[in-house]
Amino acid sequence: MKTDIQIANEANMEHIGVIASKLGMSEDDIEFYGKYKAKISDELWHKVKNNQDGKLVLVTAINPTPAGEGKTTTTVGLGQAMGKLGQKAIIALREPSLGPCMGIKGGAAGGGYAQVVPMEDINLHFTGDIHAVSIAHNLLSAMLDNHLQQGNELGIDPRQIVWKRVVDMNDRALRNIVVGLGGKMQGIPREDGFMISVASEVMAILCLSDDLEDLKNRLSRIIVAYTYEGKPVTAGDLKAEGAMTALLKDAIKPNLVQTLENTPALMHGGPFANIAHGCNSIRATKLSLKLSDVVITEAGFGADLGAEKFLDIKCRKGNLKPDAIVLVATIRALKYNGGISKTELAKENVEAVEKGFVNLEKHIENLQQYNVPIVVTLNSFVTDTDSEISLVKDRCEAMGCEFAISEVWEKGAEGGIELAQKVLKTLETKESHFTPIYDEKDTIENKIKTIATKIYGASNVNYTPKAKKSINKLVEMGLDKLPICIAKTQYSFSDNPKLLGRPEGFDITVREVNVSAGAGFIVVITGNVMTMPGLPKKPAAEGIDVDSDGKISGLF
């Protein structure tokens, strides 16, 4: 089998103007970034905003395992299959971060014969959106430190600065640093640190903003520090929001690309799926709904994190209503949840599949609470056996879900026909009555408890003294009536990554509670959540190269 990048290099891409024309756009509606990428102009929205919305399909997955689930690959393949069945379909995805590309995870443009192209451009610098987010974020950092240097008129307490710097790379050496060293003219010495760019609140804001005015207003509300009296200091107080918005004026425009089979794809935004909500931009999703019959989108990590945040944060902020949910699993991942080691996953083991099915079962039950129809798909591997597949199929159908095998990695659109047909059947015969699982006006503790008990399966929620103090502070500031964004491990329903399957009777411990006032949600940190990953012993960057003709190899 060819590698992902070999397949991508052999793609027969159409000029991006041709892709735009499939959606009824003219060349005046797009801004070209070469032959195969484009930004969509702000003016297009005003032309199509009164169009009837298409159907919105969310693709999510069980908890990630070392065996891999193929959520993005399934999303892309399903979109291609929809096109093959005559549907006017668009795929709406996040943009990849350079950190994972150079680290261990690889890119985020799908795989095999279900990829978004130009794959190399998308996984490297793309149209510069993440760089724009990084520089806008770091401008605010620079203005904050400059304010301290120039007399600190706002009375900022340097010990209560909560705004770190960012860079779009995995660099553990930058997690904790000291800035302002070198004498009086070099600034005020203080502790600082870096996060990866996609963990920035600026990225979350970009993905939740309706337009430039909304973007500027949200940026102005970012809380960067507190005064000696404990009052919040915002980007607006530092008069930074205008310049930050100027740096983001092009980044807010959705990007248009295509799949290997020339299905249109909007890739825009890439917020971290832990510290933020992990979904592509509301602008791209809403625009896609106006331009197509079916929109296939995804959310980060497993359904307990990504889908929950898509449904309780993004849909609430964007007034969106998903019409169906596709839940991706693999036989290999179910065996892993059933206690089988990674080296033994290729061997038939029906008993392990049955034991591990509890993980998929819990995800199905969770999503059913939102009253949205569900289609379960098994991302196919050659080692899957009929007995293993039959067990999963029977159990899913007994829970009221449609079921389909997906072979899109190997076969592209052709391998997704069965899944696409089941999704279309669901859209035609089952009605979505989508409802978030909590009232955002409830107390912070009750909202956290609802997610922890109803989604994770926890028995209790414990709070550190620091977390309790922060909650009281948010209530005092009037910022407690916001949606909740829980940051926890993606590998388990619990806050312990080693508890696989369907853990029960466990407690969740809330370590910290912060507010992303501009984005408009409360961040609840459990476990040891890393906002600046490190590179592995053998980073993927070691295998990436470019020849004298500019042809890149080693990306995946």
Side-chain angles (χ1 to χ4, degrees):
M1 182 69 180
K2 297 174 181 176
T3 64
D4 289 348
I5 195 165
Q6 286 173 330
I7 293 169
N9 284 337
E10 295 171 2
N12 293 314
M13 289 186 285
E14 294 179 341
H15 192 282
I16 200 65
V18 175
I19 300 299
S21 67
K22 294 181 180 181
L23 300 174
M25 288 188 272
S26 70
E27 290 193 0
D28 291 336
D29 296 322
I30 58 177
E31 300 166 8
F32 293 100
Y33 279 63
K35 292 190 287 186
Y36 304 116
K37 300 170 292 182
K39 285 280 186 184
I40 299 177
S41 71
D42 293 331
E43 291 75 24
L44 179 64
W45 172 253
H46 299 291
K47 296 179 184 179
V48 302
K49 64 182 181 181
N50 294 323
N51 290 1
Q52 183 176 342
D53 283 347
K55 299 290 187 179
L56 180 58
V57 178
L58 170 68
V59 179
T60 186
I62 63 173
N63 295 98
T65 71
E69 286 63 61
K71 174 161 52 71
T72 303
T73 301
T74 301
T75 304
V76 176
L78 175 57
Q80 292 182 156
M82 286 288 184
K84 199 171 185 69
L85 291 175
Q87 298 293 314
K88 189 178 181 183
I90 293 180
I91 300 160
L93 297 172
R94 292 180 295 165
E95 301 176 42
S97 165
L98 278 174
C101 287
M102 299 296 164
I104 192 169
K105 182 177 177 290
Y113 287 92
Q115 295 187 60
V116 182
V117 287
M119 182 264 218
E120 307 98 300
D121 291 5
I122 290 168
N123 279 321
L124 295 179
H125 300 285
F126 202 18
T127 57
D129 293 347
I130 296 180
H131 295 301
V133 167
S134 301
I135 203 67
H137 179 115
N138 290 333
L139 169 65
L140 180 54
S141 295
M143 292 181 72
L144 171 59
D145 279 304
N146 184 61
H147 185 86
L148 296 177
Q149 173 75 2
Q150 302 296 342
N152 195 9
E153 182 182 339
L154 294 171
I156 295 170
D157 183 351
R159 300 163 300 178
Q160 295 191 72
I161 291 174
V162 296
W163 189 252
K164 293 185 176 184
R165 287 166 160 82
V166 296
V167 63
D168 191 32
M169 189 51 58
N170 295 356
D171 192 347
R172 62 170 54 84
L174 294 177
R175 288 172 184 162
N176 298 287
I177 63 172
V178 177
V179 297
L181 299 180
K184 185 176 180 180
M185 296 306 296
Q186 314 311 322
I188 305 297
R190 65 178 183 86
E191 291 186 38
D192 199 359
F194 275 76
M195 304 185 299
I196 195 166
S197 295
V198 289
S200 168
E201 184 181 351
V202 176
M203 176 63 85
I205 287 171
L206 183 80
C207 290
L208 292 170
S209 297
D210 291 325
D211 49 36
L212 280 173
E213 183 178 1
D214 187 31
L215 175 66
K216 187 191 297 185
N217 288 336
R218 287 177 179 274
L219 291 171
S220 72
R221 296 199 295 268
I222 293 173
I223 294 174
V224 297
Y226 292 87
T227 66
Y228 288 105
E229 291 75 33
K231 295 181 180 178
V233 178
T234 66
D237 293 328
L238 292 169
K239 300 180 175 59
E241 73 274 20
M244 292 173 73
T245 305
L247 291 169
L248 295 167
K249 73 177 183 65
D250 290 324
I252 196 174
K253 299 172 184 176
N255 305 298
L256 178 66
V257 284
Q258 63 190 291
T259 72
L260 290 173
E261 301 186 26
N262 314 121
T263 303
L266 268 63
M267 294 191 79
H268 192 221
F272 217 52
N274 256 328
I275 209 77
H277 61 294
C279 307
N280 74 304
S281 75
I282 285 178
R283 276 173 65 105
T285 302
K286 284 187 169 181
L287 185 59
S288 297
L289 288 167
K290 297 298 183 183
L291 294 171
S292 66
D293 300 323
V294 182
V295 177
I296 317 293
T297 192
E298 69 169 7
F301 292 142
D304 56 319
L305 282 177
E308 187 275 316
K309 292 172 183 176
F310 177 93
L311 298 165
D312 285 318
I313 297 177
K314 179 176 177 177
C315 287
R316 202 189 302 261
K317 297 290 185 183
N319 194 27
L320 299 168
K321 182 185 76 67
D323 296 285
I325 297 173
V326 174
L327 179 57
V328 181
T330 65
I331 292 293
R332 293 157 61 96
L334 294 178
K335 289 178 188 175
Y336 188 80
N337 274 283
I340 301 301
S341 68
K342 186 178 178 181
T343 58
E344 299 294 313
L345 297 178
K347 298 177 182 177
E348 182 179 55
N349 193 328
V350 177
E351 183 180 344
V353 173
E354 184 166 17
K355 185 178 179 183
F357 183 84
V358 295
N359 186 269
L360 175 56
E361 178 183 58
K362 174 60 174 165
H363 284 295
I364 292 172
E365 291 175 2
N366 286 349
L367 295 173
Q368 287 174 334
Q369 295 180 78
Y370 292 93
N371 300 310
V372 181
I374 302 163
V375 179
V376 176
T377 185
L378 276 180
N379 186 19
S380 176
F381 284 77
V382 294
T383 54
D384 299 347
T385 68
D386 291 343
S387 298
E388 293 169 334
I389 294 170
S390 294
L391 185 150
V392 177
K393 180 177 185 293
D394 292 344
R395 293 285 296 272
C396 290
E397 290 178 345
M399 296 182 72
C401 301
E402 293 287 346
F403 176 88
I405 296 292
S406 171
E407 299 176 291
V408 297
W409 182 85
E410 180 184 2
K411 300 178 181 179
E414 194 62 42
I417 294 297
E418 179 188 353
L419 173 59
Q421 290 173 332
K422 291 293 177 69
V423 171
L424 288 173
K425 175 185 174 183
T426 299
L427 294 174
E428 292 167 2
T429 62
K430 296 183 180 180
E431 191 172 348
S432 172
H433 299 283
F434 167 64
T435 309
I437 62 164
Y438 61 80
D439 181 354
E440 63 182 330
K441 303 304 180 187
D442 204 347
T443 65
I444 293 175
E445 292 93 334
N446 282 347
K447 288 180 284 193
I448 295 172
K449 183 178 180 181
T450 298
I451 297 171
T453 56
K454 289 189 174 183
I455 300 299
Y456 306 155
S459 295
N460 300 293
V461 180
N462 301 318
Y463 295 87
T464 64
K466 180 180 180 181
K468 287 183 177 179
K469 184 178 179 180
S470 297
I471 290 173
N472 291 336
K473 180 74 173 178
L474 292 180
V475 172
E476 178 187 318
M477 292 164 59
L479 293 173
D480 55 319
K481 307 305 182 186
L482 298 172
I484 299 294
C485 181
I486 297 185
K488 74 168 185 67
T489 177
Q490 64 268 36
Y491 300 113
S492 171
F493 281 111
S494 72
D495 55 1
N496 179 356
K498 295 181 180 179
L499 292 182
L500 304 180
R502 182 177 182 165
E504 295 179 319
F506 59 89
D507 289 359
I508 288 280
T509 299
V510 174
R511 292 194 299 110
E512 296 179 42
V513 178
N514 306 308
V515 65
S516 292
F521 52 70
I522 295 165
V523 179
V524 176
I525 299 177
T526 71
N528 186 24
V529 174
M530 194 66 65
T531 57
M532 170 51 84
L535 293 173
K537 186 172 184 179
K538 186 175 175 60
E542 290 184 8
I544 298 173
D545 202 359
V546 59
D547 65 18
S548 58
D549 295 322
K551 185 176 181 181
I552 294 172
S553 60
L555 274 175
F556 65 96

